[in-house]
Amino acid sequence: MAPQHGPRRARIAFSDSAAKELENISSEAEIHALDRALVVISVDPDVGEPLAGDASGPQLRQYVDEVESVRVLYFVTALRTVVVVAYIEV
């Protein structure tokens, strides 16, 4: 019997500004906290709460992990295969 796999994860991509923020993270604890948040988002892109906006583009969402002190702003592509991170706060 073939092994069963869970649902496919969304791929994570970073905007230019989020990539610059990522470069400024130097603490191992902050990297670990952000990694955990990104895994949560990749498994379930709807986990974050929608932010106010219009319907002209992708819905901006916010995921906050109070325990790890991480905040990620992101949007999901139309095919739900890529999550584009717009902002990182650790």
Side-chain angles (χ1 to χ4, degrees), residues 6-8 10 18-19 38 50-51 63-64 83-84 90:
R8 214 176 127 180
L38 294 175
L51 296 177
Y63 174 75
V64 178
V83 172
V84 179
V90 181

Side-chain angles (χ1 to χ4, degrees), residues 1 34 54 64 86:
M1 180 175 212
L34 177 60
D54 59 22
V64 178

Side-chain angles (χ1 to χ4, degrees), residues 3-89:
Q4 292 184 342
H5 298 284
R8 214 176 127 180
R9 286 189 194 183
R11 194 168 49 100
I12 301 289
F14 297 93
S15 68
D16 290 342
S17 61
K20 287 179 185 174
E21 293 165 13
L22 189 59
E23 290 174 2
N24 293 329
I25 298 174
S26 58
S27 151
E28 183 96 15
E30 289 176 338
I31 292 169
H32 178 71
L34 177 60
D35 186 51
R36 288 174 47 100
L38 294 175
V39 167
V40 169
I41 293 168
S42 72
V43 170
D44 181 10
D46 293 326
V47 71
E49 65 184 51
L51 296 177
D54 59 22
S56 66
Q59 175 70 54
L60 190 61
R61 303 182 74 83
Q62 170 180 257
Y63 174 75
V64 178
D65 184 332
E66 300 289 340
V67 174
E68 297 284 354
S69 299
V70 174
R71 179 176 175 231
V72 178
L73 299 182
Y74 66 97
F75 64 89
V76 183
T77 60
L79 296 177
R80 305 190 50 75
T81 57
V82 179
V83 172
V84 179
V85 175
Y87 175 79
I88 301 167
E89 187 176 290

